[in-house]
Amino acid sequence: MKRIAITGYNSFIGNHFYKKYKNKYIIVNYKENINNISKFKFFINKKRFDFFIHFAGMSRSQCDENKKLCKKTNFLSLKKIINQLNNLENKPRFIFISSSLVYANSSKKIKEGFKKKPKSLYAKLKLNSENYLKENYKKYSILRLFNVYGKKQPRTFFIPDIKKKIQQKKIIKLNKSTRDFIHVNDAIKIINFVIKNNINITLNVGSGRGSLLLSIVNMISLYSKIKAKVKLDSKKDKLVADISKLRSIGYKNKINKINEKYINI
């Protein structure tokens, strides 16, 4: 049985992964603050594991609120983690959970080699982390997650935020943007595929389908039977994954299209 160490076991995606695969793998949770490198060093010298999945980090909204802590947590701690893992005789395969926000917007579906143009501090640190990992570690996978959604997602993310605003009958400020949404259950299945097959590349993790943000609001409004109050501006951009690389390496599972059922479970 493969042994996996994970950070961010209480995070949205990390917790879903742990609950789904805790009986398939031996999963060791690193429960300390990732900025405490002395405790991390003790952890990796005490535990044995084949894979290391880095789920931990501050969210985009948290980074906007505390830029200094964000840089420390989302980038500087990763550098220290990689440096410590490099000291191990048996180095684990590193799976880094990155973001589609490293890309520039495009009218076409985005492949992994597409232009990088991170705008937020959160996105810039994701790209910095990717680059440091590539330059300083041999066995790694980088997974660029698009808009992941699902049960128990934090309030600051798009879908739970819209749900709350509709319930409270607040005005929703929106534009005509298109995004790629993937359910958390599909996202963790892809992570499992990467583990199972020892994948050592950079991959997009999305549905490969674009959804207008307005259509998502309308779905939630229809399901809740509460009319959404939307203030729409003319801005229009697109960020949708090209998942042909994922398919080319053998991933055959169906990736569900976003709909009322999946939004509201």
Side-chain angles (χ1 to χ4, degrees), residues 100-106 110 114-119 238-239:
S100 62
L101 295 174
V102 301
Y103 294 119
N105 293 324
S106 173
I110 294 170
F114 188 71
K115 180 182 178 182
K116 312 301 180 297
K117 193 178 180 181
K119 295 179 181 178
K238 188 175 180 180
L239 197 63

Side-chain angles (χ1 to χ4, degrees), residues 118-147:
K119 295 179 181 178
S120 65
L121 175 63
Y122 172 85
K124 289 174 183 177
L125 295 177
K126 283 291 188 185
L127 187 58
N128 289 347
S129 297
E130 285 189 17
N131 291 335
Y132 189 84
L133 179 60
K134 290 176 183 178
E135 293 167 5
N136 294 279
Y137 204 77
K138 290 183 178 180
K139 298 191 296 182
Y140 67 85
S141 301
I142 294 171
L143 306 183
R144 293 183 182 140
L145 273 59
F146 281 67
N147 294 66

Side-chain angles (χ1 to χ4, degrees), residues 139-170:
K139 298 191 296 182
Y140 67 85
S141 301
I142 294 171
L143 306 183
R144 293 183 182 140
L145 273 59
F146 281 67
N147 294 66
V148 182
Y149 69 98
K151 191 175 181 180
K152 295 184 178 180
Q153 189 171 31
R155 166 76 169 78
T156 54
F157 286 80
F158 181 75
I159 289 175
D161 180 56
I162 293 299
K163 283 183 181 179
K164 193 72 174 177
K165 286 177 178 175
I166 288 175
Q167 289 168 1
Q168 295 177 345
K169 298 183 179 180
K170 290 184 176 180

